[in-house]
Amino acid sequence: MRIGVDYYPEHWEKERWKTDAELMAKANIKVVRIGEFAWSLYQPEENRFCFEWMDEILDFFRDHQISVVLCTPSATPPKWMTDKYPDIFQDDIHGNPKIFGTRKHYCFNSKTYHAFTRELVTKIAERYGRHPAVEAWQIDNELGWANTTRCYCEKCRAEFQQWLKKKYGTIEELNRRYGTVFWSQIYNSFEEVIIPRAGACYDTCHDTQGQNPALLLDYYRFSSDSVIRFAKESAEIIRRYSDRPVTSNLLDAAVNSGTGIDYFKLSEQLDFVSWDNYIEFQWGIAQAATVSRDHALLRSYKKQPFWVMEQQSGPCGWSKMGPAPTPGKLRLWTYQAVANGADTVVYFRWRACPFGTEQYWHGILDHDGKPNRRYEEIAQVGSEMERLNRVFGTLKPQAKIAIVKSFDSEWSHSIHKHVENFQYDSFLLDFYRPFYQMGLSVDFVTPHDDISSYALVLAPALLIVTEEEKENLERYVRGGGTLLLTFRSGIRDEDNNMRKETVPGAFSELAGVRVKEYDPQFQKETGSSGVFGKAQSKLWCDVVEPVSAETLGVYTQDYYSGESCLTVNAFGKGTVYYLGCDLDGDAMNRLMKYLCTRHGLSPVTYPIEGVEQVEAQDGEHTALFVMNHNPYPAVVPLDRIYENALTNDEEKDTVTLKPYDVAVLIWKKSF
Ligand code: GLA
Ligand code: ZN
């Protein structure tokens, strides 16, 4: 585990670099990420390239023994290019071309942009692929940032038509599967197919609402594929010249959720994954559980340790700022990342920039460049990491619980949300939170992953499954696994059309139930009780009829009072729960606790509100990270004897943490 910074040497006088490198070394900062927006320095004109400036920077870091993540600068095309080749721009959802000025305004299907990117990436990779300072590569910056995954231009339309032709073969097949007979949408050729942008209907609809749902889902898939193809192209060029690993900084930030890229698929193109973690800033304040969930997602995309490529290090925002991180929080956020499986945490940014858009986006240092309280805190983290590295290897939580995350289902839910207030992402979080509170790590998996190593798998609102995915889940349960399904699962086909089988469609046999009818909770809520105690549902109620299953919970209100809302079914050697309604937080905690008790999962220690407890292993040692997210002290009971890896004290009975404080404990023995 180690720390780094996002650094922009080109923003500062050269004379300053040395001071920066010395301050970095003093704080045990081991790595810098550079160059992700520097296209106009590399290529000031179409046929003129400059590398001397970067040669100097890389040699400088080599001499100072700080390693570098070198980026491809495709997030910011230079002015001459946008002037001469305006076809590189995206069109927004209303069909308006974007303009020069910020970043990420290029189209992932512009052949011109692909060609320019290939050319520059080749030159950079050729020149620096084996430079001793370069330890890794970052492709572009935050692919999909600010709704840029989906472009609505004519280039995309032409590419999309090709994509469809490959997928469907004939237009008749597309018409059949899209159900274009509805509202006179039958196409005579692929060339007629539109891209679903805004503008078809303004009355009761906004944006693309009302467009054909099969077309929309395909367009989302195509757009995600386009971004991945773009990233893949750069990654492949780099690998021709360099043996250093390639990443890209993902954007699963709690506040920023949903880029429209299938991150499981994108991750296949990367050697390791990383993400940008902003917690308290202009656009929101994230809950600790949500950030923990985001780390868990990153850990899951490649099932290996990940990096935080941008970690908040000061008060930030563009036009106005979020709060200054309270003393202790920078350290706490770093440990939260490490506990959940990050092996490198890179702070954004080293020093606040005095010019440009992000003058308010503070880094470790303020504009004046002088060491301050945030620097001292990060230096403390740096020296603690050194200490911990003498004890531990690469630590990773070993989750026995998994939540299924499906991008197809996520996109389908975003097209048709079923009922006001339903949001797939936050619904998954509702299932993550109880385990987070119990100190039990959770991985995220796709419906087609091998899930046989998990004791418990939850597949909330898994709307769309393919035949193979359905069989995969069945195989898991048949072999002895425990699966929880919920309302709105298995009811749509791969074309985003409703299945004709009785709900829960693909999962009827597995769950051993039939849903007689359902009641979307629009401006109402319904009570229930069962193994989860008493509960209120605010989103959805399936009226469940057990076929081979048994009832574990019933509604207590409305015309379906007495009918089942939760069931359990024996299937092969395993068990399937079907939850027909959403539950409030307390009931959810009780239900997850019930599942843990029934299926041999015991919490690490005693849950304490606001204290995150994560157990991680390096193959030899088990570390227990105890992190106090509360603004007040916490006394955490321990049921084993531990050694405190940061103080070498023995900790038994309890460990006391100051506000935002952290303890890293090594399990010594049981009482
Ligand atoms: C993103 C980007 C950075 C920077 C920060 C702050 O995460 O990757 O370049 O712009 O936000 O806005
Ligand atoms: Zn486009």
Side-chain angles (χ1 to χ4, degrees):
M1 60 194 92
R2 56 186 189 154
I3 56 172
V5 290
D6 299 297
Y7 188 50
Y8 299 87
E10 70 278 19
H11 292 177
W12 310 100
E13 311 76 42
K14 270 186 218 159
E15 301 70 55
R16 169 73 196 196
W17 294 358
K18 198 160 172 301
T19 311
D20 284 339
E22 283 164 6
L23 284 171
M24 287 177 197
K26 244 176 89 188
N28 277 301
I29 286 165
K30 307 285 185 200
V31 51
V32 292
R33 183 202 60 178
I34 59 174
E36 75 276 23
F37 301 122
W39 197 322
S40 59
L41 291 179
Y42 280 121
Q43 196 177 3
E45 287 169 282
E46 184 162 356
N47 292 311
R48 190 157 69 84
F49 292 88
C50 297
F51 291 101
E52 296 69 23
W53 66 281
M54 185 51 91
D55 296 348
E56 202 179 339
I57 292 170
L58 290 180
D59 292 349
F60 173 84
F61 282 113
R62 178 200 54 208
D63 297 345
H64 287 81
Q65 279 112 45
I66 292 179
S67 71
V68 170
V69 177
L70 187 58
C71 304
T72 63
S74 52
T76 42
K79 183 69 165 56
W80 59 261
M81 193 191 299
T82 60
D83 285 350
K84 187 159 172 205
Y85 304 97
D87 68 306
I88 68 168
F89 280 124
Q90 291 203 336
D91 281 3
D92 70 14
I93 197 164
H94 300 284
N96 303 316
K98 298 198 170 161
I99 59 163
F100 182 81
T102 64
R103 53 184 182 178
K104 308 288 310 164
H105 33 24
Y106 65 88
C107 167
F108 288 103
N109 285 305
S110 160
K111 293 201 167 47
T112 315
Y113 202 62
H114 273 255
F116 276 120
T117 303
R118 269 199 307 270
E119 181 184 35
L120 183 57
V121 172
T122 306
K123 286 190 193 300
I124 294 176
E126 234 175 352
R127 195 170 181 103
Y128 303 124
R130 299 198 169 264
H131 192 289
V134 175
E135 86 156 74
W137 296 86
Q138 177 187 302
I139 306 283
D140 202 280
N141 189 70
E142 295 186 337
L143 293 160
W145 175 81
N147 294 322
T148 51
T149 295
R150 295 171 197 150
C151 168
Y152 298 88
C153 78
E154 284 302 312
K155 304 173 290 284
C156 285
R157 181 173 177 213
E159 277 295 320
F160 181 48
Q161 290 168 345
Q162 293 306 315
W163 187 93
L164 293 172
K165 214 178 263 178
K166 212 162 139 207
K167 177 166 178 182
Y168 295 103
T170 65
I171 196 66
E172 291 73 25
E173 177 68 358
L174 179 144
N175 280 316
R176 187 182 67 76
R177 289 176 56 184
Y178 278 19
T180 50
V181 64
F182 187 83
W183 283 358
S184 194
Q185 291 176 351
I186 297 169
Y187 294 110
N188 290 319
S189 70
F190 284 104
E191 288 66 41
E192 282 183 12
V193 180
I194 63 159
I195 49 175
R197 64 168 172 81
C201 174
Y202 282 115
D203 219 10
T204 52
C205 309
H206 56 82
D207 290 349
T208 58
Q209 200 183 340
Q211 288 280 10
N212 182 304
L215 174 72
L216 279 167
L217 183 57
D218 264 352
Y219 198 62
Y220 291 2
R221 289 169 173 149
F222 159 79
S223 302
S224 171
D225 285 357
S226 302
V227 176
I228 294 168
R229 190 184 51 158
F230 180 79
K232 181 172 185 235
E233 201 170 70
S234 290
E236 282 173 349
I237 295 172
I238 290 169
R239 291 194 187 105
R240 244 178 267 146
Y241 301 99
S242 183
D243 55 358
R244 322 285 150 88
V246 175
T247 190
S248 188
N249 48 344
L250 311 189
L251 238 180
D252 249 88
V255 184
N256 253 321
S257 182
T259 51
I261 302 168
D262 183 331
Y263 277 154
F264 283 109
K265 278 196 193 163
L266 173 62
S267 303
E268 289 169 16
Q269 304 304 329
L270 307 172
D271 300 310
F272 68 99
V273 289
S274 62
W275 77 292
D276 295 350
N277 184 18
Y278 294 99
I279 298 171
E280 301 184 344
F281 64 133
Q282 176 178 0
W283 294 292
I285 294 193
Q287 302 286 311
T290 318
V291 180
S292 167
R293 186 279 313 264
D294 284 350
H295 287 308
L297 277 166
L298 264 287
R299 177 178 75 230
S300 304
Y301 290 136
K302 278 200 89 67
K303 304 189 183 8
Q304 65 186 41
F306 62 94
W307 291 30
V308 178
M309 197 57 96
E310 295 181 19
Q311 171 69 53
Q312 178 174 357
S313 61
C316 40
W318 276 7
S319 56
K320 47 193 175 159
M321 285 170 266
T326 316
K329 281 192 178 174
L330 300 181
R331 176 171 174 264
L332 173 69
W333 293 338
T334 310
Y335 277 102
Q336 187 182 28
V338 169
N340 284 294
D343 60 13
T344 303
V345 177
V346 181
Y347 298 99
F348 187 91
R349 47 186 281 158
W350 171 242
R351 177 176 171 186
C353 194
F355 46 78
T357 307
E358 296 190 336
Q359 299 175 31
Y360 289 165
W361 209 285
H362 289 74
I364 299 173
L365 305 186
D366 290 326
H367 301 90
D368 67 5
K370 295 191 181 131
N372 54 16
R373 121 165 125 85
R374 298 194 300 275
Y375 174 81
E376 296 306 330
E377 187 169 326
I378 278 161
Q380 181 192 343
V381 175
S383 78
E384 288 177 357
M385 299 266 144
E386 289 296 287
R387 183 185 182 122
L388 294 174
N389 283 333
R390 289 198 283 275
V391 181
F392 298 110
T394 305
L395 288 163
K396 194 172 172 276
Q398 304 295 328
K400 295 201 186 72
I401 303 160
I403 295 177
V404 176
K405 168 154 178 137
S406 146
F407 281 91
D408 265 2
S409 292
E410 175 160 308
W411 298 335
S412 174
H413 279 296
S414 76
I415 292 165
H416 283 162
K417 69 194 301 208
H418 302 263
V419 66
E420 199 58 44
N421 299 329
F422 181 85
Q423 214 248 340
Y424 180 68
D425 194 45
S426 61
F427 192 55
L428 296 195
L429 181 59
D430 290 345
F431 287 81
Y432 183 84
R433 208 177 283 112
F435 299 109
Y436 163 84
Q437 277 162 13
M438 287 189 270
L440 291 170
S441 291
V442 177
D443 285 347
F444 287 85
V445 293
T446 70
H448 46 267
D449 278 346
D450 176 3
I451 48 175
S452 53
S453 65
Y454 295 102
L456 173 64
V457 175
L458 310 138
L462 182 59
L463 196 53
I464 297 180
V465 273
T466 63
E467 211 36 46
E468 300 78 66
E469 290 169 342
K470 169 181 176 243
E471 280 164 18
N472 186 41
L473 296 175
E474 288 179 355
R475 192 173 327 115
Y476 164 71
V477 180
R478 210 174 280 119
T482 303
L483 176 70
L484 178 131
L485 299 163
T486 75
F487 63 93
R488 302 284 89 183
S489 291
I491 57 165
R492 280 186 179 271
D493 65 20
E494 285 170 69
D495 297 323
N496 203 17
N497 294 323
M498 292 300 284
R499 289 177 180 254
K500 293 193 225 88
E501 303 105 296
T502 303
V503 176
F507 295 131
S508 300
E509 212 195 315
L510 196 53
V513 299
R514 196 175 79 86
V515 173
K516 290 199 276 194
E517 65 169 305
Y518 36 77
D519 184 18
Q521 300 294 287
F522 183 63
Q523 295 182 6
K524 64 182 286 204
E525 45 182 271
T526 301
S528 57
S529 69
V531 295
F532 46 78
K534 266 166 118 51
Q536 287 297 119
S537 300
K538 293 184 177 164
L539 295 171
W540 195 271
C541 296
D542 271 354
V543 181
V544 183
E545 183 184 306
V547 178
S548 56
E550 286 166 30
T551 297
L552 295 177
V554 294
Y555 295 106
T556 53
Q557 278 179 343
D558 219 314
Y559 66 95
Y560 39 92
S561 179
E563 303 269 11
S564 301
C565 64
L566 174 68
T567 59
V568 59
N569 189 40
F571 186 91
K573 289 195 209 137
T575 311
V576 181
Y577 294 88
Y578 185 84
L579 177 62
C581 58
D582 56 300
L583 301 175
D584 58 77
D586 287 344
M588 196 68 156
N589 287 342
R590 290 189 293 263
L591 178 59
M592 295 307 132
K593 182 121 198 280
Y594 170 88
L595 294 177
C596 287
T597 313
R598 289 302 156 108
H599 299 284
L601 293 157
S602 41
V604 177
T605 57
Y606 306 94
I608 310 264
E609 185 68 33
V611 177
E612 183 174 2
Q613 304 184 55
V614 181
E615 231 180 34
Q617 277 90 20
D618 66 0
E620 196 185 330
H621 312 89
T622 298
L624 175 65
F625 289 84
V626 189
M627 296 164 282
N628 184 14
H629 294 283
N630 296 307
Y632 47 82
V635 179
V636 182
L638 301 173
D639 55 6
R640 294 166 184 168
I641 298 173
Y642 291 93
E643 179 184 328
N644 190 321
L646 295 174
T647 61
N648 288 116
D649 292 341
E650 185 173 274
E651 308 277 9
K652 58 178 186 192
D653 301 319
T654 58
V655 59
T656 302
L657 298 176
K658 294 196 283 284
Y660 311 121
D661 198 6
V662 172
V664 184
L665 307 178
I666 313 171
W667 180 14
K668 280 281 179 223
K669 50 183 187 260
S670 305
F671 282 120

